[in-house]
Amino acid sequence: MNLPQNSSDAVPAPTVAIVDYGVGNLFSIRQACIRSGLQPLITSDPAAVTAAQGVVLPGVGAFGTAMEALHRSGLDAAVTDAVCRGVPTMGICLGFQLLMLESLEFGRHRGLGLIDGVVLPLRELVAVPSASEGAASRRTKVPRVGWGVVHPPSTGGVTASASRWEGTYMNGLVPGGAMYFVHSYGVRLANPATLLAVTPWAGGEYCSAVQIGRLFGCQFHPERSALQGLAIYRNFGDEVRSFAVTGDRQHIASPLQARAGVGGAS
Amino acid sequence: MTAIRIIPRLDIKGENLVKGIHLEGLRILGRPEVFAQYYYAQGADELLFMDAVASLYGRNSLLPIVERTARDLFIPLTVGGGLRSLQDFSDVLSAGADKVAVNTAAVERPALIAEAAERFGSSTIVVGIDAKRAGDGDWHVFTGNGRDKSSRRVLDWAQEAAQLGAGEILLTSVDQEGTGGGYDIALTRLIAAAVDIPVIACGGAGSAGDVERVLSEGQADAVTCAAMFHYAAVSILGSGVGEESTVGFRVLAERRDYGRVQPTGIPELKRALCAAGYSMRMIQDDHGAPLRPATEAAQ
């Protein structure tokens, strides 16, 4: 591998495929990638996703419709393959939910099965108290729209510190900072060890970020979360650049593969 | 309580940010992109762009403004004003908006809300409702930028819109808009208490006290303010307004003709609301924007 000898041999910015399956504000994700020194490519071509050094899976809208669109285009296989090859990948909002085993939104839908978790309506995920009579009570509104606190999960009653985020795409972020949420469904993980961040809401809390190897997923929109959100893109960018240079191939078994007894460390 | 949202509203005519002045028509204040960047830096939670005269001039200048603004904006942007079809929504979203606000077209054909929610996701669709007090103590829904009275009553329409798949309601008081005399508290509370989706109060903000009242008594989940922020911003952005000196800006700067509106900056407003106990995002240096008060866990 030829490394640059001087500044005039600058390594071209690695390509990040932003998966386009018809929904989501891809423009802002593209801008955030550019800000992080990446070369974004908005694409619905599975071959382009396969060739990219990083992948962003965005999304807004219905889970079932999205999975159908991903499957029709072959993008589901391309994204799954990239993740299992250890390509740095970010799933955002619905894109995060699509990484799960299944969703219970409007029936039961299979997801990409890359993370062992299930997607549920927010009012089920967090036991929201029903609005009682009286002037003092206010209805809890869904979709949840607005800024929410994000912090590392506490385990065994001990509040986790920022060190939980070291080495992840949330490295260097301030615990308790706010990110922008806009969603009606959320994720419940089977394995709390992969939980990277939680968010309080309506008297409870739920999963707002997960990282397994180079696969990251977040319920909030980092490209809509001002400087804190852009910091996630910067960390992602660093990881993509590192991956593009070293070509370090990880092999990650998805939960589906693990259950089938397929895959493992290469 | 859930974090509330402060959303500057920018009314756009052609290439300019404008403000309707009572009995005078529209005044040009400057370039929307400049104000948008300023409000983003000042800690706005979202931005709302309303195309003030879309039906007359088409949308040729709005999309480039959305694109130019969205390029350097990393908070949510909602765009509305004269949007009538799924193609209109798609154009605006592709240009960099996160949400679309639809008003008249939805009243005329409510199924549009369901179609848009299915295609773009419910959370992308904000239904704008302009309401004006009727003689019978109720409110009627108005269309055509608050000019034409429809046969709908506001409560029924708001509930129908929510059922059809609206993600949020942008509720504007036609009576209060442009007066600086405060929001229509009773209207806001009626709708906020009746639907399960967020309600954004719009029209009439003149002071931090007005905002506090519509959040508490009005039970709004978010507020938009226009004149209150713009009049404070022009005194800061004066030199950045643009090469052409705008009559409206000079008139405002010289005469300080704000009526009942008290020019208020976003940080000033947020500090006042924070002191009153509201939870919202506060800008703190470059490294994070914690919510204040510190946590929502107690609610």
Side-chain angles (χ1 to χ4, degrees), chain A residues 22-23 25 27-28 31-32 35 60-61 65 123 135 137-149 173-174 176-178 180 182-183 200-204 223-228 230, chain B residues 3 5 40 45-46 67 70-76 94-99 119-121 123-124 167-168 189 192-193 195-198 215 219-221 281 286-291 296 299:
Chain A
V23 281
N25 176 2
F27 187 93
S28 298
Q31 295 307 314
R35 287 275 177 120
V60 171
T65 310
R123 290 186 198 274
S137 72
R138 289 173 69 141
R139 304 168 86 104
T140 301
K141 302 297 179 103
V142 173
R144 178 192 191 173
V145 186
W147 295 80
V149 168
L173 267 64
V174 175
Y180 188 83
V182 52
H183 63 124
W201 179 73
E223 68 285 349
R224 277 318 187 210
S225 297
L227 297 177
Q228 273 263 91
L230 288 177
Chain B
R5 289 170 282 149
Y40 168 45
D45 296 313
E46 300 183 24
E67 206 171 304
R71 198 165 294 152
D72 297 308
L73 188 77
F74 296 95
I75 55 175
S94 298
D98 298 277
K99 303 184 238 178
R119 166 103 178 259
F120 303 107
S123 55
T124 305
E168 297 173 84
R189 191 196 178 93
V195 296
D196 277 332
I197 60 177
L215 292 172
Q219 297 192 354
D221 302 285
R281 165 181 170 260
D286 279 356
H287 300 295
L291 285 181
E296 295 182 74
Q299 298 96 31

Side-chain angles (χ1 to χ4, degrees), chain A residues 210-233:
Chain A
V210 172
Q211 185 153 353
I212 303 171
R214 296 200 192 95
L215 173 64
F216 173 80
C218 53
Q219 185 59 71
F220 49 82
H221 287 265
E223 68 285 349
R224 277 318 187 210
S225 297
L227 297 177
Q228 273 263 91
L230 288 177
I232 292 181
Y233 276 92

Side-chain angles (χ1 to χ4, degrees), chain B residues 36-49:
Chain B
Q37 271 302 304
Y38 176 67
Y39 291 143
Y40 168 45
Q42 291 277 293
D45 296 313
E46 300 183 24
L47 288 185
L48 172 64
F49 276 12

Side-chain angles (χ1 to χ4, degrees), chain B residues 198-214:
Chain B
V199 172
I200 308 163
C202 181
S207 68
D210 289 338
V211 173
E212 199 281 326
R213 263 184 297 278
V214 82

Side-chain angles (χ1 to χ4, degrees), chain B residues 175-190:
Chain B
D175 301 299
Q176 295 301 107
E177 169 56 38
T179 66
Y183 297 90
D184 187 331
I185 305 296
L187 165 69
T188 309
R189 191 196 178 93
L190 174 72

Side-chain angles (χ1 to χ4, degrees), chain B residues 236-254:
Chain B
I236 307 290
L237 297 175
S239 57
V241 158
E243 297 78 31
E244 68 277 13
S245 77
T246 61
V247 173
F249 165 68
R250 278 209 311 277
V251 165
L252 283 173
E254 291 159 14

